[in-house]
Amino acid sequence: MPELPEVEVVRQGLQPWTVGRRIQSVTVQHPRSVRRHQAGASDFTQRLIGRRLERIDRRGKFMWWQTDQDEALIAHLGMSGQFRVVGGEHNARHERIAIEFEDAQPGIVFVDQRTFGGLCVDELITVDSSQMPSSLQHIARDPFDDRFDPIAVAHRMKQSRSSVKAVLLDQRIVSGVGNIYADESLWRAQLCWSTPANRIRVERLHELLDHASDVMTQALAAGGTSFDELYVNVNGSSGYFERSLDAYGRAGRPCRRCGELMVKEQFGNRSSVRCPNCQRRR
DNA sequence: AATTAGCCCTGATTGC
DNA sequence: TGCAATCAGGGCTAAT
């Protein structure tokens, strides 16, 4: 499940292969992968052909290229999206969109088994002195953003009666955190996922955000978390942060802090793993 | 307005 | 053995 560190690995991997190059052709092989582009697949293609990609940015789990027409080519990996650099013939399983460039260098393909991810073209606007795609205005700054304000975000979290995990996953409050790094952050902060955010001292919420930033920084340094071939870098290589995970995927195994057996619990229609001893339910 | 449940999707795994 | 149910879950929409 690509979250902020995995998306950042992909962004950095794509940069040298895409920025400064002009698009020659775009092939949409699956309509669902451009469903966010309201005007349809042919409009998507027409807006991109002949455009030069100027730079690639990211906020939370979204990334986008700025084109020489000052539009944004937005990408979200969803659950299983990948970008692969391909030279010559390519026909990968679950290949959804292919982009070729005017020079003779390799193109890129968007591969996505479950098609939760996708691409679209959108206008760029300036919000709060940051340039970003219009359709991503509701996405809050992530902990890697220079202007991320953990004190303000902690106070915003403190106002919610939802569970602290639901708030941590709310991309309108803080972006980039998904189920893996939410469980990791809560384990480090010794908080139970179900505790209402407004019942937690704001100082502890601030600490939780610091843990989130730390664990994602460490995951990025390790090249991200890979469980299987569903998350890989543009060259097909996997990250190795999985071996460093303390909570996610460790149900039934001893807590690395106290030795108690970790438990898996239902959280909405997904799951949470916590230590029943050092992440006590209030 | 705030919060939560449900939907989309495919393939590996589990259960009968 | 074979088929069906289950699980994974981000982001959006609908319902409460």
Side-chain angles (χ1 to χ4, degrees):
Chain A
M1 304 94 238
E3 302 178 27
L4 191 153
E6 292 75 33
V7 177
E8 178 61 15
V9 168
V10 172
R11 188 194 71 82
Q12 290 178 13
L14 283 168
Q15 190 157 33
W17 293 101
T18 55
V19 171
R21 302 177 66 197
R22 198 174 290 278
I23 294 172
Q24 181 172 59
S25 70
V26 177
T27 310
V28 176
Q29 292 148 284
H30 196 307
R32 185 170 149 81
S33 296
V34 292
R35 69 192 181 286
R36 280 203 180 89
H37 191 86
Q38 301 287 346
S42 59
D43 182 83
F44 172 81
T45 301
Q46 284 167 17
R47 282 179 187 278
L48 291 172
I49 290 172
R51 298 281 63 78
R52 205 179 97 109
L53 301 178
E54 303 288 2
R55 52 181 292 161
I56 180 168
D57 293 301
R58 180 191 54 73
R59 175 175 287 201
K61 303 169 199 169
F62 288 90
M63 58 187 152
W64 65 87
W65 288 268
Q66 181 177 335
T67 74
D68 57 355
Q69 295 281 72
D70 283 338
E71 286 189 313
L73 169 57
I74 307 172
H76 195 288
L77 302 178
M79 290 291 296
S80 54
Q82 307 174 1
F83 278 102
R84 306 297 292 272
V85 174
V86 288
E89 292 297 307
H90 52 86
N91 190 19
R93 195 152 146 81
H94 308 306
E95 193 174 299
R96 307 303 190 195
I97 297 169
I99 298 176
E100 305 285 352
F101 297 96
E102 286 187 358
D103 52 44
Q105 298 303 307
I108 56 171
V109 293
F110 180 67
V111 177
D112 191 8
Q113 178 199 103
R114 292 176 217 175
T115 65
F116 276 43
L119 276 60
C120 67
V121 178
D122 190 18
E123 61 171 347
L124 275 166
I125 60 168
T126 300
V127 183
D128 193 22
S129 62
S130 294
Q131 199 173 42
M132 63 180 308
S134 179
S135 57
L136 302 186
Q137 289 177 67
H138 62 295
I139 303 297
R141 293 183 189 276
D142 61 64
F144 288 5
D145 192 311
D146 288 339
R147 302 187 62 198
F148 181 72
D149 183 349
I151 295 172
V153 174
H155 280 92
R156 173 72 184 83
M157 295 175 75
K158 178 76 179 171
Q159 292 170 359
S160 174
R161 284 173 300 200
S162 299
S163 70
V164 61
K165 182 167 175 177
V167 176
L168 195 56
L169 291 172
D170 189 335
Q171 306 294 301
R172 297 166 303 180
I173 296 173
V174 50
S175 70
V177 181
N179 208 35
I180 296 172
Y181 298 110
D183 278 5
E184 293 305 304
S185 305
L186 290 163
W187 183 86
R188 290 184 178 205
Q190 296 187 239
L191 287 167
C192 176
W193 62 270
S194 60
T195 307
N198 63 354
R199 310 299 283 271
I200 299 171
R201 297 205 336 263
V202 73
E203 293 81 5
R204 295 206 68 199
L205 294 170
H206 189 170
E207 287 170 18
L208 175 64
L209 291 169
D210 285 345
H211 284 303
S213 185
D214 289 346
V215 69
M216 292 196 293
T217 299
Q218 291 156 15
L220 174 60
T225 299
S226 306
F227 295 103
D228 47 37
E229 71 287 353
L230 287 187
Y231 163 70
V232 291
N233 197 354
V234 293
N235 60 7
S237 65
S238 297
Y240 53 89
F241 193 69
E242 184 192 0
R243 65 188 70 168
S244 304
L245 294 176
D246 293 310
Y248 188 90
R250 299 199 71 249
R253 300 177 62 194
C255 172
R256 290 202 166 114
R257 189 162 40 218
C258 74
E260 191 92 357
L261 292 186
M262 306 282 288
V263 295
K264 179 184 280 199
E265 292 164 325
Q266 205 63 28
F267 163 69
N269 51 2
R270 42 207 62 152
S271 63
S272 265
V273 178
R274 73 176 169 104
C275 171
N277 179 46
C278 51
Q279 294 171 273
R280 293 278 176 99
R281 195 186 289 273
R282 47 167 274 112

